[in-house]
Amino acid sequence: MTVTGAIWRDQLTADERATLGRADNVAGGARPDVLVVGGGILGVSTAFACANAGFGDVLLIETGRLGAGATGGATGLLIPEPHQWSDPEPLVDLERAGLERWRDLEAALPGGVGLVELDWLGLAPHAGGFAAHQPRDIQWLNPGQVAELIPGLARPMEGALIHRQARVNPLRAVARLAARLPAVATGVAATSVEVSGDRVVRVGTSAGGISPGAVVFATGSPPVLDGLQLRVPSDRVKGHLLVTEATDVRLPGIVAPLATQIENRQLLAGGTFDIGDETPAVQPDVIDAIAAGLATVLPSLRGIGVAYQWCCFRPRHPDRRPVIDRVPGLANAWLTSGHFRTGILNAPATAALLARWIAAGVPPAEARSWSATRFAGH
Ligand SMILES: Cc1cc2nc3c(=O)[nH]c(=O)nc-3n(C[C@H](O)[C@H](O)[C@H](O)COP(=O)(O)OP(=O)(O)OC[C@H]3O[C@@H](n4cnc5c(N)ncnc54)[C@H](O)[C@@H]3O)c2cc1C
């Protein structure tokens, strides 16, 4: 039987599941030092970073449950190094900083955040398949070396091996961080903003008005709220994923573009880019194509059962880079959005940047790359 929904929730403990629905009482007229709107990985990480930066009173509100958006459907890969082939340098820097901070969190939090260290192996019919740019810390494997790591490939492949990448169950990471937040209110939506001069003086929510010292919008895509003048173009790109039934095929970590070895002898595959598909439903033909792709590369996977299938949407800006900025024209409101395909990876570094900015009042130098006003003319 195939479950339609992400595997991540089923891997959680009862306590972790309960944390995703944490619903502390929000007193009408609350005045937190920092209000974070949005309980995906960016919002939870930002609230955590602000609490650790010494803001005593940090409140996070989320309209559904924590991780209900893109976060809960992500693959959860933390792989900055392969992105050197695809992403601009400032983004790779952010991604690298993200993985380092995930490792810090894993070490610092009792019980960690569920980080799993693993290798990344990219397959290509020939080494030229990786283009001229040769990233650092790569070990090039000939077809014989690849076959030793992955016996039974349909045809000989060259490989690019990168050690010490990682992954998380994104919902576990959210739950572990959220359990340590001062205040979390799920089931509470921000609906409006009241501005006086250059300051947000009140955020209207489904639980009443909140008057924060500072507010961070981490709503995946830019927030659409009454009273908030914000023009940042964005769209979203759907992706499908599946988890196989248990198999004796064992992969040496993340094997691109094949699959990732996860717990219980299962494989996680997919991460399609279904441009133009705006429907929220899983498309069986896309799942079939992912499964067929597995068997094409590794014939022993032919006919493997699908245990979980799901889809979700990546929030994206036109240049595929995130926004991490103060809301233009406002002194005490910040925004992070459009983390597209690396939001889980980027989250702790983005959060640290925002916490520093809010505490100091001046933008850190690296914020320049992520401005909300760079889309003028779109
Ligand atoms: C198929 C797929 C695979 C992916 N794989 C990876 C991967 O391997 N590694 C990686 O790093 N990234 C990956 N991503 C990308 C990653 O999922 C996103 O970049 C990231 O989850 C974005 O997080 P977020 O917190 O910004 O948004 P979200 O997770 O969408 O969170 C935003 C939250 O804000 C809430 N919200 C919105 N409006 C309001 C409001 N008015 N009031 C209160 N709450 C509100 C929403 O309910 C939502 O929970 C993948 C994405 C997809 C779709």
Side-chain angles (χ1 to χ4, degrees):
M1 201 197 72
T2 303
V3 174
T4 296
I7 191 173
W8 305 128
R9 191 177 153 75
D10 286 354
Q11 293 187 334
L12 301 185
T13 64
D15 279 353
E16 287 167 345
R17 258 180 243 159
T19 300
L20 297 180
R22 192 175 151 187
D24 302 346
N25 204 13
V26 182
R31 297 181 161 275
D33 297 324
V34 180
L35 170 68
V36 178
V37 178
I41 195 70
L42 268 304
V44 169
S45 299
T46 301
F48 185 86
C50 287
N52 278 281
F55 292 102
D57 194 358
V58 177
L59 168 62
L60 181 139
I61 62 170
E62 158 61 45
T63 185
R65 291 171 66 84
L66 301 180
T71 297
T75 320
L77 304 184
L78 310 177
I79 51 170
E81 298 310 323
H83 285 137
Q84 293 173 83
W85 279 298
S86 57
D87 291 348
E89 211 170 307
L91 187 51
V92 176
D93 287 346
L94 182 72
E95 292 163 358
R96 285 198 180 119
L99 178 52
E100 285 316 306
R101 285 192 179 266
W102 274 120
R103 290 199 171 108
D104 293 346
L105 290 167
E106 177 67 15
L109 265 63
V113 287
L115 184 112
V116 180
E117 298 269 358
L118 79 185
D119 291 344
W120 180 91
L121 173 58
L123 299 177
H126 50 84
F130 289 104
H133 178 56
Q134 308 264 308
R136 69 182 196 192
D137 296 336
I138 285 216
Q139 192 183 335
W140 296 100
L141 305 183
N142 63 38
Q145 292 168 313
V146 170
E148 265 175 43
L149 290 172
I150 315 172
L153 285 172
R155 60 175 171 149
M157 299 266 216
E158 306 270 347
L161 179 63
I162 305 177
H163 294 294
R164 293 198 73 234
Q165 302 297 280
R167 69 179 182 88
V168 285
N169 170 334
L171 286 186
R172 172 163 293 132
V174 162
R176 296 276 175 91
L177 293 171
R180 289 171 177 83
L181 294 181
V184 176
T186 59
V188 175
T191 52
S192 65
V193 161
E194 198 179 307
V195 173
S196 174
D198 66 354
R199 296 187 68 80
V200 169
V201 291
R202 186 174 177 279
V203 176
T205 82
S206 54
I210 297 174
S211 300
V215 56
V216 181
F217 299 105
T219 43
S221 301
V224 180
L225 300 173
D226 286 347
L228 188 66
Q229 303 291 334
L230 192 58
R231 264 194 208 91
V232 182
S234 72
D235 66 358
R236 52 186 204 159
V237 181
K238 186 175 173 179
H240 283 78
L241 290 162
L242 65 79
V243 167
T244 67
E245 302 283 4
T247 165
D248 289 337
V249 170
R250 182 135 194 106
L251 297 179
I254 303 160
V255 180
L258 185 61
T260 297
Q261 184 70 54
I262 63 166
E263 296 78 7
N264 301 323
R265 300 192 296 120
Q266 290 174 293
L267 302 177
L268 170 60
T272 52
F273 290 83
D274 313 316
I275 308 290
D277 181 358
E278 281 294 317
T279 60
V282 168
Q283 307 288 358
D285 56 321
V286 179
I287 296 296
D288 290 348
I290 298 170
L294 288 175
T296 304
V297 180
L298 208 52
S300 52
L301 291 173
R302 184 161 298 128
I304 187 141
V306 173
Y308 291 84
Q309 57 179 17
W310 72 93
C311 61
C312 68
F313 289 89
R314 306 167 180 88
R316 180 177 73 163
H317 295 302
D319 60 3
R320 301 164 176 226
R321 305 184 194 194
V323 164
I324 311 168
D325 200 359
R326 218 192 301 241
V327 176
L330 295 176
N332 68 336
W334 280 261
L335 162 74
T336 189
S337 58
H339 283 268
F340 191 36
R341 56 190 194 126
T342 54
I344 311 295
L345 175 55
N346 298 345
T350 302
L353 190 162
L354 286 168
R356 261 187 296 144
W357 191 343
I358 296 167
V362 289
E366 67 270 30
R368 267 197 308 271
S369 302
W370 319 118
S371 101
T373 50
R374 67 184 191 261
F375 307 103
H378 270 91

